Amino acid sequence: MNSSSLVSKVIVVGGGIFGVSSAVHLTRLGVQTILVNDGPLASGASGRSLAWLNSSRKRSDEYHRLRMAGIDRYRTLAAKYPDVAWLRFDGGLTWDADDDANEIAAVFRYERDIGYDAQLLSADEIAAVTPGVDKRSVTPQGAVFNPGEGWVDLPSLIDILSQEFLERGGTLVTDAGLAMVMVENGRATGVTLASGITFEADAVLLATGANVPGTAAETGHFIPDGTPIALLVRTKPTQLPLRAVLNTPRVAIRPTPTGALVLDSAWSEEEVIVRPGGIYKVKDSTVARLLEEASKVLDGNPKLELDTYFVGPKPIPGDGEPVFGQLNDIARYYIAFSHSGATLGLIAGELLAGEIASGQLNPLLETFRPGRFG
């Protein structure tokens, strides 16, 4: 799979965090890079992400290692931008439902054993550690607080990265419609836009979120797809002391740079109505109940008002693990497809850019390559 020589020109397809991060890292390596997107930047899943920076609970050792590297890169970014409102490390608080499936004690032991900073708190102890939570909503088994976790506003980050991309000489093409990857003699050679414009290149990275499996299938490559249709609700700005990301049985909540909150949940995803042609309908009752569930876990049970909501595919590979790297038998055709786009966004872009520019495989991505599916 190694390229035999360095590339001089790369096209990145996709204006979400994976695409923009990879593009700016390529320009940092001195590679001429064209970034194309079907609409504006951050108009897909990156624009409707909870964007919780974490490696909590249980997952493979390799995935945990990659996520921790991802969080490390955000720490570096936070040192560069110490006072911004769009990147915060105020911790994450998680509790489970009060039933036989409650794993909080086991999660705490697991996280402690692997060195992931975790505290097991009773409901009465939470206020002294992280404010803004109604202790009556916390189940008797308690909650795990992870002080090293945080959140990022991805559209703000993408804006910062795209500015650097342009300053470094990158070419940005937005509202381009569908981009088709050209393959000749077993190698990616560029892309053709919906307008008929063609860009030739030495390598192509496909980072189009939930569309990646379908596009890969056109070349005969199977990428299992577990993508759901997700709902993200944003409230109007509030005056609340909440700083941590909350992951609770009925709702997940994080603050925003404007003082609003964003909310999502597994049950609200299931209530999204999917109609033919990629049309989604969200019931008013679903939004109202999500706002109510959020109010229940916040101190003082404030009345939360809807600002807007976002609905669309949330990219998740079928096996839950990221898919990064070159396709099996098409030279210089790379893909990026993963959940946890926020946590992995900076590190994935860095590692993919390094592989594309040098042809040298990075061991951190070894278990996540498309070739694992045959």
Side-chain angles (χ1 to χ4, degrees), residues 212-265:
V212 168
T215 305
E218 295 172 1
T219 67
H221 293 80
F222 172 65
I223 307 296
D225 187 9
T227 296
I229 304 303
L231 169 67
L232 187 82
V233 168
R234 185 172 68 205
T235 73
K236 292 182 178 179
T238 62
Q239 298 294 323
L240 297 175
L242 182 71
R243 296 292 178 266
V245 180
L246 302 185
N247 187 11
T248 83
R250 296 289 296 170
V251 64
I253 307 174
R254 76 153 167 87
T256 72
T258 64
L261 304 172
V262 291
L263 323 171
D264 75 4
S265 72

Side-chain angles (χ1 to χ4, degrees), residues 12 26 36 96 102 106 142 162 189 202 228 274-275 350:
V12 177
L26 283 163
V36 301
D96 290 352
N102 190 295
S162 63
T189 59
D202 302 312
V274 181
R275 292 178 172 167
E350 175 187 328

Side-chain angles (χ1 to χ4, degrees), residues 96-104 139-141 249:
D96 290 352
D98 183 15
D99 56 30
D100 292 340
N102 190 295
E103 295 183 322
I104 280 298
T139 48
Q141 297 86 347

Side-chain angles (χ1 to χ4, degrees), residues 58 103-116 118 120 144:
K58 299 178 182 179
E103 295 183 322
I104 280 298
V107 165
F108 167 68
R109 290 193 298 269
Y110 175 79
E111 292 181 350
R112 178 196 59 195
D113 290 348
I114 63 172
Y116 191 69
L120 182 60
V144 170

Side-chain angles (χ1 to χ4, degrees), residues 210-350:
N211 292 329
V212 168
T215 305
E218 295 172 1
T219 67
H221 293 80
F222 172 65
I223 307 296
D225 187 9
T227 296
I229 304 303
L231 169 67
L232 187 82
V233 168
R234 185 172 68 205
T235 73
K236 292 182 178 179
T238 62
Q239 298 294 323
L240 297 175
L242 182 71
R243 296 292 178 266
V245 180
L246 302 185
N247 187 11
T248 83
R250 296 289 296 170
V251 64
I253 307 174
R254 76 153 167 87
T256 72
T258 64
L261 304 172
V262 291
L263 323 171
D264 75 4
S265 72
W267 64 263
S268 59
E269 287 181 4
E270 297 172 357
E271 293 191 2
V272 174
I273 299 169
V274 181
R275 292 178 172 167
I279 298 173
Y280 312 119
K281 178 175 175 58
V282 178
K283 295 180 289 186
D284 291 343
S285 60
T286 301
V287 174
R289 190 147 58 100
L290 198 56
L291 291 168
E292 291 171 3
E293 296 290 355
S295 176
K296 290 177 184 178
V297 304
L298 296 172
D299 195 22
N301 305 130
K303 180 175 175 55
L304 301 176
E305 297 183 71
L306 173 68
D307 177 22
T308 188
Y309 67 80
F310 309 89
V311 61
K314 178 166 66 177
I316 300 179
D319 65 357
E321 299 267 302
V323 187
F324 294 134
Q326 187 173 265
L327 291 177
N328 254 5
D329 53 2
I330 305 181
R332 296 179 177 175
Y333 190 155
Y334 296 82
I335 66 172
F337 175 53
S338 182
H339 186 35
S340 58
T343 302
L344 299 181
L346 296 179
I347 189 64
E350 175 187 328

Side-chain angles (χ1 to χ4, degrees), residues 154-168:
L154 283 178
S156 298
L157 173 58
I158 287 170
D159 182 59
I160 292 291
L161 293 177
S162 63
Q163 290 179 37
E164 179 186 347
F165 173 73
L166 294 172
E167 290 168 359
R168 290 180 176 273

Side-chain angles (χ1 to χ4, degrees), residues 113-200:
D113 290 348
I114 63 172
Y116 191 69
D117 197 359
Q119 303 169 22
L120 182 60
L121 305 175
S122 69
D124 289 333
E125 294 173 318
I126 289 172
V129 176
T130 185
V133 177
D134 186 338
K135 68 178 184 179
R136 297 171 299 177
S137 66
V138 180
T139 48
Q141 297 86 347
V144 170
F145 181 63
N146 302 111
E149 295 179 352
W151 59 267
V152 61
D153 183 72
L154 283 178
S156 298
L157 173 58
I158 287 170
D159 182 59
I160 292 291
L161 293 177
S162 63
Q163 290 179 37
E164 179 186 347
F165 173 73
L166 294 172
E167 290 168 359
R168 290 180 176 273
T171 300
L172 177 61
V173 182
T174 56
D175 300 304
L178 180 66
M180 297 182 59
V181 180
M182 301 185 298
V183 177
E184 297 178 12
N185 299 319
R187 184 175 74 82
T189 59
V191 301
T192 300
L193 305 184
S195 63
I197 295 174
T198 294
F199 293 108
E200 296 183 349

